[in-house]
Amino acid sequence: MSQRQVLQVFEQYQKARTQFVQMVAELATRPQNIETLQNAGVMSLLRPLLLDVVPTIQQTAALALGRLANYNDDLAEAVVKGDILPQLVYSLAEQNRFYKKAAAFVLRAVGKHSPQLAQAIVDCGALDTLVICLEDFDPGVKEAAAWALGYIARHNAELSQAVVDAGAVPLLVLCIQEPEIALKRIAASALSDISKHSPELAQTVVDAGAIAHLAQMILNPDAKLKRQVLSALSQIAKHSVDLAEMVVEAEIFPVVLTCLKDRDEYVKKNASTLIREIAKHTPELSQLIVNAGGVAAVVDCLGSCKGNTRLPGIMMLGYVAAHSENLAMAVIISKGVPQLSVCLSEEPEDHIKAAAAWALGQIGRHTPEHARAVAVTNTLPVLLSLYMSTESSEDLQVKSKKAIKNILQKCTYLPALEPFLYDAPPNILKHVVGQFSKVLPHDSKARRLFVTSGGLKKVQEIKAEPGSLLQEYINSINNCYPEEIVRYYSPGYSDTLLQRVDSYQPLIN
């Protein structure tokens, strides 16, 4: 065989390997092919090609493995069991930028599925190599490494701490300062994933100077970047008053309020979440948000969106109102109550209804004025029906019941209370009658109206245990009226009158 023929054989072999990895990489993009590839043992065929002498074959083999591992945890597990990870980590430090991107993609695809698979990546020494890649000249390599580190960190505090210990945080902060938008997005996302687990991890991100750089990007025109920036700031602010104050000190107000009007639903949601995480800590932080126009902006945002996008805004209004009666009044003045009532009635999901019920309860629980502001929106009957409905989740029933009690115990607006005399179960009825017993002794107009509307008659029909709190309330109401009026509206009084007619002996002249 001549030298030329030998070279032809090698060329054909190289061409066949190239065609094979390209075809597998292509087939792996379509879900319907995955099971067939798995059954054909494609993992073991790709593994040796990671060490191929031809760089493009190595890269394409890594890409194919990444696509397969990305599909489900069984295939990701096969990558771990096939001893492919050490090979990838070794090559990650040695090879060119194209291979580094493909290898980091495989690590990300394996690590995303579960803490156990992410731990396998840590155990094979990948973190140090990925952190080195964050310093690579090529932004695509930095992006792929940041993505993999973020996917490892997101699972739990231990894995996140491992990423921190490898020295990733300062380099991720440098990455968010790079000009490439895609790199900024992934680095911000990774910082968010690290910060979310504990105050200590969030503090590590803060100590690296992340807040100032993140805050500067709140008004970036790229929606996907804004999502990640707002998420990272939320994950930092949520842990403690100190961390929330650090975020506020970066002068995010009032600029963050413009994000509540963004066309992107996730930007709206993440902005609402950030404001919620700050508001929940102290009355002072809530007051700062009120002063910046944050409550009115969140109320407007609730009117312009639907579903889960509304949830953080609903909760934010509840947190603000819970702190004090003045802050609750700020929510009322900003027309928060009608908007929350709309959410309670409109939203199909029980967890969103439950949040709206809780928020309304926080507003109405302070004073009669607050309770009236909730009652006049006709919210109480809606809360009662949600509490009584067998289709409501347990959480929705509990939150509706608590909200009703919070509002009723302060409500002196009798027209809103009267329907409850007819519809409420005994455990709610007690609170309704209690409110009438507080108001009627001091309001003659209300006493008259209570008779003409049928309220007094209904109270006489209530069967209360002798000596119970409910019976005491009924007695207090009855003491507001002449005895003959109470008798007149008592059950059986008409029969008594008829008996007197029957037994009456007319005087005959």
Side-chain angles (χ1 to χ4, degrees):
M1 188 180 284
S2 68
Q3 187 179 358
R4 187 182 171 193
Q5 287 174 315
V6 170
L7 288 172
Q8 281 179 337
V9 169
F10 275 105
E11 281 174 14
Q12 285 171 350
Y13 179 46
Q14 181 177 320
K15 192 176 179 183
R17 298 198 312 279
T18 304
Q19 285 178 335
F20 172 73
V21 288
Q22 285 176 344
M23 185 60 73
V24 172
E26 176 61 30
L27 288 170
T29 60
R30 292 188 283 276
Q32 64 267 31
N33 298 327
I34 299 293
E35 194 176 342
T36 308
L37 288 169
Q38 190 176 2
N39 293 338
V42 76
M43 290 291 193
S44 56
L45 297 173
L46 287 171
R47 188 188 170 207
L49 297 176
L50 291 170
L51 296 175
D52 200 278
V53 292
V54 181
T56 54
I57 293 174
Q58 292 179 3
Q59 294 152 24
T60 315
L63 180 64
L65 276 170
R67 286 175 178 170
L68 290 164
N70 197 46
Y71 184 71
N72 64 34
D73 49 1
D74 287 341
L75 287 160
E77 190 83 46
V79 171
V80 174
K81 287 180 177 171
D83 278 338
I84 291 168
L85 292 180
Q87 212 165 296
L88 283 168
V89 173
Y90 171 77
S91 302
L92 197 58
E94 303 292 325
Q95 295 286 359
N96 64 28
R97 62 197 172 103
F98 300 108
Y99 186 88
K100 285 177 179 176
K101 283 191 270 191
F105 169 54
V106 180
L107 295 173
R108 178 185 110 210
V110 172
K112 79 171 193 177
H113 292 291
S114 70
Q116 293 75 23
L117 288 166
Q119 188 62 53
I121 293 171
V122 174
D123 293 342
C124 73
L127 292 184
D128 291 336
T129 315
L130 286 168
V131 168
I132 291 167
C133 287
L134 289 177
E135 298 183 271
D136 199 274
F137 180 74
D138 183 78
V141 174
K142 289 180 183 175
E143 183 189 330
W147 213 334
L149 289 165
Y151 271 47
I152 293 164
R154 69 174 46 178
H155 290 294
N156 58 44
E158 291 76 21
L159 286 163
S160 198
Q161 189 63 55
V163 171
V164 169
D165 293 342
V169 172
L171 295 170
L172 288 168
V173 173
L174 286 174
C175 287
I176 61 173
Q177 299 169 62
E178 295 283 352
E180 291 81 15
I181 292 291
L183 178 55
K184 285 178 184 284
R185 285 180 199 154
I186 303 306
S189 174
L191 290 170
S192 177
D193 287 329
I194 291 166
S195 301
K196 72 181 181 182
H197 299 291
S198 72
E200 294 76 21
L201 287 162
Q203 189 65 55
T204 305
V205 172
V206 172
D207 291 343
I211 289 178
H213 298 295
L214 289 166
Q216 286 168 7
M217 294 188 285
I218 286 174
L219 292 181
N220 191 288
D222 184 78
K224 289 180 181 175
L225 175 58
K226 278 191 283 194
R227 291 179 195 173
Q228 301 304 339
V229 165
L230 294 164
S231 171
L233 290 170
S234 302
Q235 299 293 6
I236 293 167
K238 76 179 184 181
H239 292 292
S240 70
V241 177
D242 289 343
L243 288 166
E245 285 176 348
M246 285 179 178
V247 172
V248 169
E249 283 163 13
E251 297 181 354
I252 63 164
F253 291 104
V255 290
V256 73
L257 303 181
T258 61
C259 296
L260 295 171
K261 296 178 181 176
D262 202 276
R263 284 181 296 181
D264 186 280
E265 290 294 302
Y266 290 101
V267 171
K268 281 185 182 178
K269 184 180 179 183
N270 289 2
S272 297
T273 303
L274 172 56
I275 299 166
R276 177 192 74 190
E277 298 299 359
I278 294 167
K280 74 181 184 183
H281 289 294
T282 65
E284 292 76 21
L285 285 168
S286 280
Q287 188 64 57
L288 185 145
I289 292 166
V290 170
N291 295 347
V295 170
V298 167
V299 171
D300 289 345
C301 179
L302 289 178
S304 68
C305 57
K306 294 277 188 289
N308 275 319
T309 308
R310 278 175 160 171
L311 186 58
I314 291 168
M315 292 176 70
M316 176 266 180
L317 295 177
Y319 281 130
V320 171
H323 286 305
S324 73
E325 60 183 68
N326 287 340
L327 286 165
M329 189 53 69
V331 175
I332 292 168
I333 292 165
S334 298
K335 299 184 170 57
V337 174
Q339 192 57 65
L340 287 168
S341 299
V342 168
C343 295
L344 186 72
S345 302
E346 271 188 6
E347 287 298 330
E349 296 287 337
D350 277 8
H351 68 283
I352 301 174
K353 286 180 182 289
W358 169 78
L360 287 161
Q362 296 306 313
I363 295 166
R365 71 182 177 87
H366 293 286
T367 69
E369 192 180 355
H370 291 79
R372 180 178 178 132
V374 177
V376 295
T377 60
N378 206 33
T379 296
L380 286 168
V382 179
L383 287 168
L384 183 64
S385 67
L386 290 171
Y387 168 56
M388 302 282 284
S389 173
T390 53
E391 293 178 10
S392 294
S393 68
E394 186 181 349
D395 182 53
L396 177 55
Q397 288 178 331
V398 169
K399 294 231 172 28
S400 297
K401 179 184 175 184
K402 180 74 174 164
I404 291 167
K405 285 187 175 180
N406 281 345
I407 297 160
L408 287 181
Q409 283 168 352
K410 293 292 179 182
C411 188
T412 57
Y413 180 60
L414 300 187
L417 295 179
E418 202 155 316
F420 276 65
L421 290 171
Y422 301 89
D423 304 328
N427 59 335
I428 301 289
L429 185 63
K430 175 177 67 179
H431 299 288
V432 178
V433 177
Q435 288 307 105
F436 278 106
S437 74
K438 290 176 192 172
V439 176
L440 292 175
H442 311 290
D443 189 336
S444 59
K445 195 174 178 182
R447 288 198 294 273
R448 179 181 176 83
L449 195 61
F450 193 59
V451 173
T452 56
S453 66
L456 183 62
K457 181 174 186 291
K458 181 61 186 172
V459 165
Q460 306 315 310
E461 294 168 5
I462 295 170
K463 292 178 174 60
E465 292 284 325
S468 66
L469 194 58
L470 179 57
Q471 187 60 59
E472 282 182 34
Y473 291 150
I474 293 170
N475 292 344
S476 296
I477 292 170
N478 289 345
N479 289 339
C480 296
Y481 297 95
E483 193 179 335
E484 60 270 24
I485 293 287
V486 175
R487 271 207 311 273
Y488 179 76
Y489 286 108
S490 296
Y493 182 67
S494 56
D495 295 337
T496 306
L497 287 178
L498 286 172
Q499 285 172 8
R500 287 177 64 184
V501 168
D502 292 341
S503 61
Y504 182 71
Q505 294 298 323
L507 293 171
I508 300 170
N509 291 328

